[in-house]
Amino acid sequence: MGAIDSRVSSILLDRVAEWLTNSSLAGDDLENIVRGFCERIAAAGLPIARVHLTFSMLHPLYDALSFTWRRASGVTIEGYRHAAGQKPDRFLQSPYYYLLDNNLQHIRRQIPADGPAEFPVFADLRDERITDYLAFVQPFGDGSVQGMMGSWSTDSHSGFSDDMIDALLRMQNHLAVAAKMAVLGKLANNMLTTYLGGDAGKRVLNGQIRRGDGETIRAALVMGDMRQSTVYAEKEGRQNYIDTLNQFFDAIAAPFNRNGGEILSFIGDGFLAVYPCGRHKDPSKIACQAALSAVHQAQSRVAELNKERQGNNMGKISYGIGLHVGNVMFGNVGLKDRLTFSAFGSAVNEVQRLQSLTKKYSREVVASQAFAGYCGGEWTTLGEEKLRGVRQKITVLQPHPPAPTVHSEQNFHEVPQDALSEAEQVILLHRDARKQAKPPAVDKFMQ
């Protein structure tokens, strides 16, 4: 790209700032704000070839969300996962880490066409014919652990002029305000969907927040529970027990959180999953078959986990799963100022009692006749039981083992560090650095 007029139109930049304000008031999400902003500053005459923006997120599973906009290809998005472990030294040479570690707000570098690269990312930018690079850190207020950091890059032969840098810094503040509003909206969604589940979180966000709000739905129900948890807690100690419990949940519960299923709640060392469905035969059949498929995956995953634990001289984890189908009430219950969103009713009580029968029959999985009837396939009848609170006896069955071709859909081990992107490793490096007595400026930016 050749040299361009270094003057920047204040009128057009004011229009971009106005658009950011209107987008914030309209509740636009972060992706639309970033994409629209980048396209508009480029259209206003700024010679932007690449924009990289990373937003810290208060989220139990992710540290940050990153957007990279390129003039030729648009926006790509990455989520930066929580992780642990040592990172390769080359990632310590990131411009972002340099900013955080040295308590700087900006760093500008002109990138020559050849010669050594000061930071590893500059070699990649050089391949994109980038000539000038301006990185920044923008906290969302004093003392805030939420914030934005990013970089502006140009492929103009003459690089950024002072007018362009002034315009970018000016627009950076407007973008930070709009992004903060979007991050707060994303935060609310993240918290609700992580702690309540996807469907329940959406219901609350859509206004189903009063005590008693809810509805009756039909669903396939799964109740799982870890065996001998008290023994584990006493034998292994608090932290080892928590780690074991999380390993158990990673292995057994994850399959029930996809393909129409949702983990509705974790109850001590157990969980309740639901597969909402219509009231007719076909929807019930689909939901029950999806739940049973998830059971087979969960069994395979726990078997793999126990194999790994045995290799580490750790005890085997045992469990019980109950399967049922029926009508449940789905909504808010509790105190006026302290509510929970869950499923409750007779069908939930019945699946909980079915799960407890796995102890009596020494089986990992049992199901009601209603559930097995919708699933089809081969089952072994274990007996008839009178469940507390249920007028009629219920037939209890055990599913036959799945075909040998059924395997776990996902590997539940940690993602190798080499599989993480460079930007992702930088975010994780920054998080780890906070634990190593870095300067206060490093501590205050992001979680």
Side-chain angles (χ1 to χ4, degrees):
M1 186 172 183
I4 66 169
D5 192 334
S6 64
R7 293 171 296 178
V8 180
S9 170
S10 295
I11 296 174
L12 292 179
L13 289 182
D14 286 341
R15 292 295 179 88
V16 178
E18 182 181 356
W19 177 84
L20 283 171
T21 299
N22 292 335
S23 296
S24 296
L25 293 174
D28 278 358
D29 62 33
L30 198 53
E31 180 180 353
N32 287 332
I33 287 175
V34 169
R35 177 182 287 108
F37 170 78
C38 292
E39 291 172 350
R40 281 166 174 79
I41 61 170
L46 285 167
I48 295 296
R50 179 185 182 273
V51 178
H52 182 263
L53 299 169
T54 295
F55 301 91
S56 62
M57 305 295 290
L58 183 58
H59 189 290
L61 306 178
Y62 292 90
D63 274 329
L65 193 65
S66 169
F67 300 84
T68 303
W69 177 89
R70 289 180 173 83
R71 186 175 56 228
S73 58
V75 172
T76 56
I77 306 172
E78 289 182 280
Y80 300 151
R81 297 173 293 264
H82 294 316
Q86 296 298 316
K87 316 301 186 302
D89 289 342
R90 66 182 183 277
F91 295 114
L92 291 170
Q93 301 303 314
S94 161
Y96 293 154
Y97 192 75
Y98 181 86
L99 281 170
L100 295 167
D101 199 33
N102 290 281
N103 193 19
L104 299 174
Q105 291 183 314
H106 302 94
I107 178 174
R108 185 216 181 166
R109 294 290 188 268
Q110 293 181 325
I111 301 176
D114 51 29
E118 181 180 359
F119 300 103
V121 69
F122 285 2
D124 298 329
L125 296 179
R126 183 182 291 160
D127 292 339
E128 298 183 44
R129 301 183 183 279
I130 297 300
T131 59
D132 209 343
Y133 173 91
L134 176 64
F136 64 87
V137 172
Q138 177 82 55
F140 289 164
D142 291 340
S144 174
V145 296
Q146 301 296 297
M148 170 179 80
M149 65 182 180
S151 63
W152 318 103
S153 301
T154 182
D155 54 2
S156 169
H157 290 317
S158 55
F160 289 126
S161 68
D162 286 346
D163 280 350
M164 293 173 188
I165 292 175
D166 181 67
L168 288 171
L169 297 182
R170 172 186 165 194
M171 297 311 301
Q172 176 185 315
N173 289 327
H174 290 288
L175 176 61
V177 172
K180 181 176 181 179
M181 297 303 296
V183 166
L184 289 175
K186 185 69 175 176
L187 168 62
N189 181 74
N190 286 342
M191 292 296 100
L192 288 170
T193 55
T194 299
Y195 285 98
L196 296 182
D199 186 62
K202 290 176 184 177
R203 290 170 186 262
V204 172
L205 284 172
N206 288 334
Q208 196 170 323
I209 58 175
R210 294 192 301 271
R211 184 167 68 164
D213 279 352
E215 61 180 305
T216 299
I217 65 169
R218 184 168 178 78
L221 303 171
V222 182
M223 179 72 76
D225 186 68
M226 188 172 86
R227 297 286 177 253
Q228 298 180 322
S229 58
T230 302
V231 174
Y232 276 114
E234 293 177 352
K235 181 180 178 181
E236 298 187 5
R238 183 184 65 181
Q239 190 56 53
N240 286 339
Y241 170 65
I242 292 174
D243 292 342
T244 296
L245 193 58
N246 282 327
Q247 283 184 343
F248 170 68
F249 283 139
D250 282 343
I252 198 169
F256 301 104
N257 214 33
R258 63 174 80 99
N259 296 333
E262 181 176 335
I263 301 292
L264 193 57
S265 59
F266 290 97
I267 309 164
D269 56 2
F271 66 91
L272 171 65
V274 296
Y275 287 74
C277 59
R279 299 181 183 276
H280 301 295
K281 178 179 179 180
D282 287 344
S284 298
K285 179 179 178 181
I286 291 170
C288 291
Q289 288 179 342
L292 183 60
S293 175
V295 167
H296 294 327
Q297 295 164 29
Q299 289 181 290
S300 175
R301 290 162 67 97
V302 176
E304 194 67 28
L305 172 61
N306 280 329
K307 188 176 179 181
E308 181 178 305
R309 287 174 61 86
Q310 183 180 14
N312 293 325
N313 295 319
M314 302 172 71
K316 177 183 177 181
I317 296 177
S318 301
Y319 61 92
I321 295 176
L323 302 170
H324 193 35
V325 61
N327 296 332
V328 296
M329 289 174 281
F330 201 54
N332 293 312
V333 292
L335 302 175
K336 292 180 179 179
D337 57 355
R338 179 62 177 90
L339 299 175
T340 186
F341 198 99
S342 188
F344 45 94
S346 59
V348 176
N349 296 335
E350 289 161 16
V351 74
Q352 186 172 19
R353 287 160 190 158
L354 276 166
Q355 180 275 130
S356 67
L357 288 174
T358 59
K359 301 176 184 177
K360 174 180 178 178
Y361 289 105
S362 299
R363 299 291 191 274
E364 291 179 346
V365 182
V366 301
S368 66
Q369 177 67 64
F371 183 95
Y374 282 118
C375 278
E378 296 184 83
W379 296 77
T380 297
T381 300
L382 299 176
E384 289 191 344
E385 295 288 337
K386 180 71 169 64
L387 301 183
R388 182 165 53 87
V390 180
R391 185 173 302 175
Q392 296 180 336
K393 285 188 175 182
I394 187 169
T395 301
V396 181
L397 302 98
Q398 175 193 10
H400 282 206
T405 55
V406 175
H407 296 290
S408 173
E409 288 186 358
Q410 288 186 338
N411 187 344
F412 54 87
H413 297 286
E414 289 288 339
V415 177
Q417 286 296 316
D418 290 344
L420 305 180
S421 68
E422 177 171 341
E424 188 165 5
Q425 296 232 27
V426 169
I427 295 297
L428 299 177
L429 266 174
H430 164 64
R431 187 199 62 191
D432 294 344
R434 296 184 8 249
K435 302 174 183 177
Q436 300 172 7
K438 290 292 182 180
V442 179
D443 279 314
K444 78 176 186 177
F445 178 61
M446 287 196 310
Q447 300 209 102

